[in-house]
Amino acid sequence: MATLSIDPRVSVRTADFVTTDHRMLIDGRFVAAASGKRFPVYNPANGEVITQVPEAEAEDVNRAVMAARRAFDEGPWPRMTPSERGRILWKLADLIEQHTDEFAELESLDNGKPFSVARVGDVPLTVDMFRYMGGWTTKITGKTLPMGMGGEYHSYTLREPVGVVAQIIPWNFPLLMAAWKLAPALACGCTIVLKLAEQTPLSGLRLAQLIVEAGIPEGVVNILTGYGEGAGAPLAAHDQVDKVAFTGSTEVGKLILQAAAGNLKKVTLELGGKSPAIVFPDANIDLAVSGTASAIFFNHGQCCCAGSRLYVHEKVFDRVVEGVSSIASEIKLAPGLDPACQMGPLVSDEQYRRVVGYIESGIAEGARVAAGGPVSGVERGYFVRPTVLTNTNPRMKVVQEEIFGPVVCAVPFGDKDVDAIIRRANDTIYGLAASVWTQNLTMAHKVARGIRAGTVWINCHNVFDAALPFGGYKQSGWGREKGEEVLNNYLETKAVCLSLQS
Ligand code: NAI
Ligand code: MG
């Protein structure tokens, strides 16, 4: 396999894992695709193939769904005590934590993000998600209900797992997205078929091994590698799946909804965004500059909640734009495993072309480049320079559409009227997140109420925690991930009504 090339900086253990004969987890066993097909995984820092993984198709999907069905209908997972389930989730969290460096290497190699960021961000957040949801297992309760119409009844609700859950995730935080999906579904007692993103299957395949090691019974978690059309579509359409949870593009979210119609499976969607960051003149400007820069440049802008529209009051517009542009110009582009790396490559050639195409379209429509631009100057790999565009107008594609790269449109506002800037911030089909930068408490909370989005950050952006519900208004999605709210995605409510007359 002369084309195999692993970054020389990865540990021997990780290199061994990457180049192993990868198998998917179905019904507690590690198996190849029924067809024997495999597909390549690329290193985005140089575009080379680093390994091959199984290509699941409808037959594999069916095997995995039927394993999850059996595990749900007959197996121990939904029936064991909540405390036992919690202990297993904590054990899995401990195992992931023990392999922090290995997971960070896999994320960096596969996705392109800096190793240092994966090590202090993606992996610890994953560990905490499993611990947090392990804690919820023992706190999922129903209610007793007094009956308004009188009569002698004892009525209460039971909260029961929704059943077999299909989960489809993207590539921007491969391990963390798996955790956001798996942990709450497991806490609720569901069984799962998880399809990893085709661009970034490695950390999920390693996680599959730890899932078995943690003692999660066979068939409870099945993990597939495959493409969207080949594996994701039959999974979303399968009539033995009770619920589908999807994170990805708004376009595919709509396809998931159609696929779910056949058996009316429950659907939750976490989709795109075009999140505003709004800087008022009284903000701590140094904080606002570094904060709004990281709002868009963190994870190379490949965040559904990236602060991609920067609205700055005209009194401080030049200062903030110069500040953000100078941060952009100083960011060091390098492969994620290079210790000097501050920003790695985008995940794939497809995303590289898409993001460069947006920068070019912005320029063609008259935007001015205050930093960055379409040419990265890096010879190999999918690198895009952090880019700041000014002189945009609200109808430009770069202002309306999700770019999903390190590209921000800075726009001045001068209105005394707060409602006008809120309207402008809301002028999008999306409603995932926003940030507001001000020292004025009244202003901060007024804007927080006015924004039609699932998260509003005040004097911060991209702050994630297992306890904070996350999700979208409008076309950014249905339902919430994390926090207590996510449990609703994976539970049914049963009303039980007992007559006390005998
Ligand atoms: P995508 O929505 O095509 O892929 C996300 C997941 O859905 C992957 O696992 C993929 O295999 C699966 N998928 C694709 N087509 C499917 C289908 N017909 N049925 C079932 N599953 C399917 O996103 P893609 O192509 O990777 O990125 C395109 C754009 O989507 C990005 O530029 C970005 O704007 C947005 N995106 C948003 C994300 C978010 O976190 N909300 C994450 C990734 C992408
Ligand atoms: Mg796609």
Side-chain angles (χ1 to χ4, degrees):
M1 296 250 257
T3 54
L4 284 192
S5 128
I6 301 292
D7 191 302
R9 287 164 287 224
V10 301
S11 64
V12 172
R13 183 162 70 165
T14 298
D16 279 351
F17 173 73
V18 171
T19 52
T20 194
D21 178 14
H22 289 287
R23 304 285 167 120
M24 305 183 286
L25 177 60
I26 299 180
D27 209 8
R29 275 180 288 280
F30 287 92
V31 298
S35 66
K37 281 197 220 164
R38 301 191 302 161
F39 66 93
V41 180
Y42 297 91
N43 176 355
N46 58 22
E48 290 175 7
V49 174
I50 47 177
T51 191
Q52 308 265 345
V53 296
E55 183 179 340
E57 292 175 317
E59 190 179 341
D60 309 283
V61 167
N62 189 49
R63 268 197 296 162
V65 170
M66 294 323 288
R69 186 80 262 165
R70 274 192 305 279
F72 187 77
D73 292 343
E74 298 155 28
W77 189 253
R79 289 160 195 89
M80 71 174 56
T81 67
S83 166
E84 282 174 303
R85 271 208 303 276
R87 276 204 301 272
I88 293 176
L89 289 181
W90 286 321
K91 179 155 184 212
L92 178 57
D94 290 345
L95 286 169
I96 298 166
E97 191 169 48
Q98 285 157 22
H99 294 87
T100 295
D101 284 355
E102 191 186 345
F103 276 111
E105 282 185 315
L106 288 174
E107 292 302 66
S108 180
L109 188 63
D110 208 3
N111 165 281
K113 65 179 69 194
F115 168 78
S116 55
V117 172
R119 197 173 178 283
V120 300
D122 301 58
V123 186
L125 283 167
T126 297
V127 170
D128 195 54
M129 187 70 191
F130 280 106
R131 289 208 178 115
Y132 175 85
M133 285 298 161
W136 267 113
T137 57
T138 48
K139 289 144 202 99
I140 295 169
T141 57
K143 292 176 179 166
T144 54
L145 305 165
M147 303 271 280
M149 298 302 284
E152 299 235 353
Y153 297 99
H154 170 53
S155 300
Y156 61 94
T157 53
L158 290 174
R159 300 282 272 157
E160 297 180 339
V162 68
V164 174
V165 177
Q167 303 185 321
I168 299 173
I169 57 170
W171 41 261
N172 50 346
F173 298 89
L175 182 67
L176 186 60
M177 290 301 100
W180 282 19
K181 291 277 184 279
L182 292 172
L186 287 170
C188 292
C190 295
T191 62
I192 298 155
V193 180
L194 170 71
K195 191 198 83 65
L196 305 171
E198 58 270 32
Q199 298 84 351
T200 54
L202 297 179
S203 58
L205 288 171
R206 183 70 181 103
L207 179 66
Q209 297 177 338
L210 299 189
I211 282 170
V212 172
E213 195 177 332
I216 294 179
E218 61 187 30
V220 172
V221 178
N222 303 274
I223 298 189
L224 302 179
T225 47
Y227 291 110
E229 275 180 30
L235 180 56
H238 202 291
D239 67 358
Q240 290 301 311
V241 170
D242 299 300
K243 193 241 149 68
V244 56
F246 171 79
T247 299
S249 61
T250 295
E251 184 193 350
V252 174
K254 292 176 183 175
L255 295 177
I256 298 285
L257 204 52
Q258 288 166 16
N263 70 337
L264 287 180
K265 59 176 68 69
K266 274 68 183 168
V267 179
T268 46
L269 304 167
E270 206 263 90
L271 307 174
K274 191 73 184 173
S275 299
I278 308 169
V279 182
F280 288 96
D282 71 313
N284 173 335
I285 297 298
D286 291 341
L287 187 76
V289 165
S290 61
T292 57
S294 102
I296 181 64
F297 300 140
F298 170 66
N299 213 42
H300 320 165
Q302 301 169 128
C303 296
C304 42
C305 50
S308 51
R309 290 182 294 145
L310 175 59
Y311 294 106
V312 188
H313 192 277
E314 59 193 9
K315 275 195 206 146
V316 291
F317 183 78
D318 289 346
R319 214 174 127 198
V320 170
V321 170
E322 274 160 31
V324 172
S325 301
S326 106
I327 290 174
S329 308
E330 281 159 24
I331 287 174
K332 168 107 180 100
L333 295 181
L337 285 155
D338 182 333
C341 171
Q342 291 175 321
M343 186 182 278
L346 300 189
V347 71
S348 65
D349 191 37
E350 185 185 349
Q351 288 305 116
Y352 169 81
R353 286 169 201 275
R354 186 190 299 253
V355 173
V356 169
Y358 272 113
I359 299 173
E360 286 168 346
S361 97
I363 295 169
E365 289 186 274
R368 194 178 75 78
V369 178
V375 181
S376 80
V378 185
E379 249 173 60
R380 296 188 326 152
Y382 312 131
F383 290 93
V384 174
R385 285 222 64 82
T387 296
V388 180
L389 300 177
T390 59
N391 259 350
T392 59
N393 69 59
R395 295 298 128 216
M396 284 183 186
K397 262 171 58 156
V398 283
V399 176
Q400 285 295 324
E401 296 178 16
E402 177 171 61
I403 298 176
F404 226 67
V407 183
V408 65
C409 298
V411 179
F413 68 91
D415 320 277
K416 295 225 167 49
D417 180 8
V418 184
D419 294 334
I421 186 61
I422 292 173
R423 271 198 302 278
R424 220 151 153 193
N426 285 335
D427 180 21
T428 162
I429 59 165
Y430 296 113
L432 196 57
S435 61
V436 45
W437 302 79
T438 176
Q439 312 257 30
N440 179 333
L441 272 177
T442 310
M443 182 73 87
H445 290 292
K446 199 165 173 189
V447 177
R449 285 183 180 210
I451 295 285
R452 303 266 303 147
T455 296
V456 178
W457 286 292
I458 299 172
N459 294 327
C460 57
H461 199 115
N462 286 337
V463 176
F464 304 104
D465 191 276
L468 293 177
F470 183 83
Y473 285 33
K474 300 194 269 182
Q475 292 193 37
S476 288
W478 289 4
R480 293 292 175 271
E481 310 230 57
K482 306 190 292 159
E484 185 176 355
E485 274 78 0
V486 71
L487 302 173
N488 296 325
N489 297 356
Y490 298 111
L491 293 170
E492 293 276 23
T493 299
K494 179 181 286 171
V496 182
C497 177
L498 166 84
S499 167
L500 292 172
Q501 279 170 344
S502 49

